[in-house]
Amino acid sequence: MIDLIGGVPLFVLEFGDELVYFTPYTITLFLLALTFTVLVLISRPEKQIDIAFGGDAYRAKEISISEMRFRRFMAIACGLATMGAMVTGDIFNFTLFTAMVGITNVGIVAAVKSPHVQDAAYQYGLVALAATVPLFAGAAVYAAVTGSLSMIELMKGTVPAVPLIAKGMLMLGVIGEGMAPFYAAKAEMFRAPGAPYVIMCSLSSLLIFLRVVEIVMLG
Amino acid sequence: MIIRKISHLLCNYENITRLFAGACLLLFIAGILLLPLPYSEKQLYPKTFDRNSSLDPYDRGGPPFTQVTIVSQYPENSPTAGLVTSYLTPFSLFLSQVTLHLGTTIVSHPGGIIDEILYNTRGLDTVVEATILFIAFAIASYIYRKG
């Protein structure tokens, strides 16, 4: 009996032991990530203009083409990683995609040539680096306790129950990879020019959070 | 008032790392207090360790292009699991003959002896792991060239 949290899987894609499955819930998240990735792909980046308060003076920030190109590449990679994390049916695979989202988020902001933004990105990078410990430890405890990594098996309830601490580790790892407040370096990041690319950080963290909530409710 | 204090503390992004470290510490202490955790004897991809093999801990046995038995979750999905898909380069072969520690040199032999690649167990993971590495290299090289 499959526990209907995200809905019945409509379509299962088999990559050996790792099943990629599409339930109504994951399809919705997947389509959101896909739509935004296409938007990033085709949209032109903003030009940031600072206006001096109380006067007419303003100044436009010059952004090089190569920087924008690199950030677009990172944003698309982030979108692909998010899509992967949305539909994967394997705990370890999910943690890998989450780690990839974390590192691409660093890439999106680290390319900006502003010391302040780069400092914030460095701090965020440290958090993302440290977050891999609880993230992968959580997956390891999942594997040790249940003897399986497949979410389908967790759904069916054929494996032992997952201890709370494993869920906590997974959650803390995902939070560290890019969620408020630990990417609150975000507030500084958003000074970085380049609208559609920076928003990818927010969107990916939101989607990953929605997915991890489903995962911790499975076992 | 207290929210204002908290957000004032958090607006300094250097405190974020400390906050995360504190959260990890609390969780790990809780984890230690909740020990022991049950261990399932029925594990995926079990293997026995042969301490005398120079490829330990990656040695599952089998010459190249033969199939060894591997317990996987969905055996029907992976007919090639356990097929030994790789072989040692002449240098690795030399190392494996003179030392017992080739299995620890995973960094200097990328892809050569990683379990997933060698025995074809978890294909998608291998792809994502390599992608993470490439992304990291791309960021590092971009910052190095432009910085």
Side-chain angles (χ1 to χ4, degrees):
Chain A
M1 173 62 196
I2 290 187
D3 199 358
L4 307 174
I5 290 171
V8 186
L10 303 174
F11 176 64
V12 176
L13 203 63
E14 292 148 355
F15 285 95
D17 273 5
E18 290 152 35
L19 304 182
V20 169
Y21 67 88
F22 295 84
T23 62
Y25 185 66
T26 58
I27 284 179
T28 315
L29 301 182
F30 177 81
L31 287 181
L32 259 173
L34 180 68
T35 314
F36 202 79
T37 309
V38 172
L39 278 180
V40 163
L41 190 66
I42 58 175
S43 65
R44 290 165 164 268
E46 63 156 3
K47 266 201 166 168
Q48 207 175 37
I49 290 181
D50 286 353
I51 298 176
F53 188 70
D56 287 342
Y58 65 88
R59 90 196 143 168
K61 285 184 180 161
E62 272 301 315
I63 306 149
S64 67
I65 299 280
S66 75
E67 181 187 317
M68 277 302 162
R69 204 170 277 158
F70 182 76
R71 297 179 70 201
R72 185 176 63 188
F73 163 52
M74 279 299 145
I76 292 168
C78 186
L80 292 175
T82 313
M83 280 185 249
M86 288 312 105
V87 293
T88 184
D90 186 271
I91 303 283
F92 186 65
N93 209 237
F94 173 77
T95 58
L96 279 177
F97 276 122
T98 310
M100 190 169 152
V101 166
I103 202 166
T104 47
N105 279 358
V106 175
I108 289 172
V109 283
V112 178
K113 270 194 165 171
S114 150
H116 194 76
V117 175
Q118 284 190 337
D119 273 354
Y122 177 69
Q123 295 292 334
Y124 169 68
L126 286 181
V127 172
L129 178 78
T132 53
V133 177
L135 190 65
F136 288 102
V141 178
Y142 261 86
V145 172
T146 64
S148 168
L149 282 166
S150 167
M151 290 180 201
I152 302 265
E153 298 301 312
L154 288 177
M155 264 195 248
K156 285 181 188 162
T158 52
V159 292
V162 183
L164 198 61
I165 192 74
K167 295 178 178 181
M169 281 180 179
L170 197 70
M171 198 59 138
L172 187 68
V174 170
I175 286 174
E177 286 296 342
M179 203 158 306
F182 296 115
Y183 88 147
K186 155 195 147 173
E188 309 298 329
M189 288 173 177
F190 275 52
R191 293 193 200 183
Y197 310 140
V198 181
I199 306 300
M200 197 74 210
C201 297
S202 296
L203 187 85
S204 62
S205 68
L206 172 72
L207 291 179
I208 291 237
F209 181 70
L210 290 175
R211 178 78 170 128
V212 79
V213 166
E214 189 208 348
I215 291 173
V216 297
M217 285 168 73
L218 283 179
Chain B
M1 201 63 188
I2 190 150
I3 293 175
R4 205 166 87 185
K5 270 187 187 154
I6 292 174
S7 49
H8 182 68
L9 195 74
L10 287 182
C11 79
N12 181 2
Y13 52 73
E14 288 184 357
N15 288 334
I16 298 289
T17 353
R18 288 170 199 156
L19 182 67
F20 188 72
C24 282
L25 189 69
L26 287 180
L27 190 76
F28 286 149
I29 289 174
I32 291 170
L33 292 179
L34 284 173
L35 286 175
L37 293 169
Y39 178 78
S40 168
E41 294 296 331
K42 216 179 107 200
Q43 290 285 331
L44 290 179
Y45 326 114
K47 61 173 145 185
T48 51
F49 295 103
D50 176 11
R51 291 289 170 213
N52 295 317
S53 162
S54 58
L55 298 179
D56 179 56
Y58 297 100
D59 194 3
R60 283 184 194 270
F65 309 117
T66 58
Q67 199 154 12
V68 291
T69 317
I70 287 193
V71 180
S72 49
Q73 185 83 57
Y74 304 104
E76 67 278 10
N77 291 346
S78 34
T80 56
L83 190 70
V84 185
T85 57
S86 190
Y87 52 88
L88 300 176
T89 60
F91 181 61
S92 304
L93 188 65
F94 167 73
L95 279 183
S96 72
Q97 282 163 354
V98 295
T99 76
L100 275 178
H101 308 294
L102 187 72
T104 59
T105 57
I106 199 163
V107 176
S108 56
H109 298 78
I113 48 181
I114 300 177
D115 200 55
E116 289 167 7
I117 297 175
L118 190 51
Y119 292 102
N120 202 5
T121 46
R122 293 172 66 82
L124 191 57
D125 279 356
T126 317
V127 178
V128 184
E129 279 161 17
T131 315
I132 293 174
L133 266 179
F134 280 132
I135 295 275
F137 281 136
I139 297 170
S141 58
Y142 181 84
I143 292 175
Y144 179 74
R145 282 196 307 126
K146 300 280 170 180

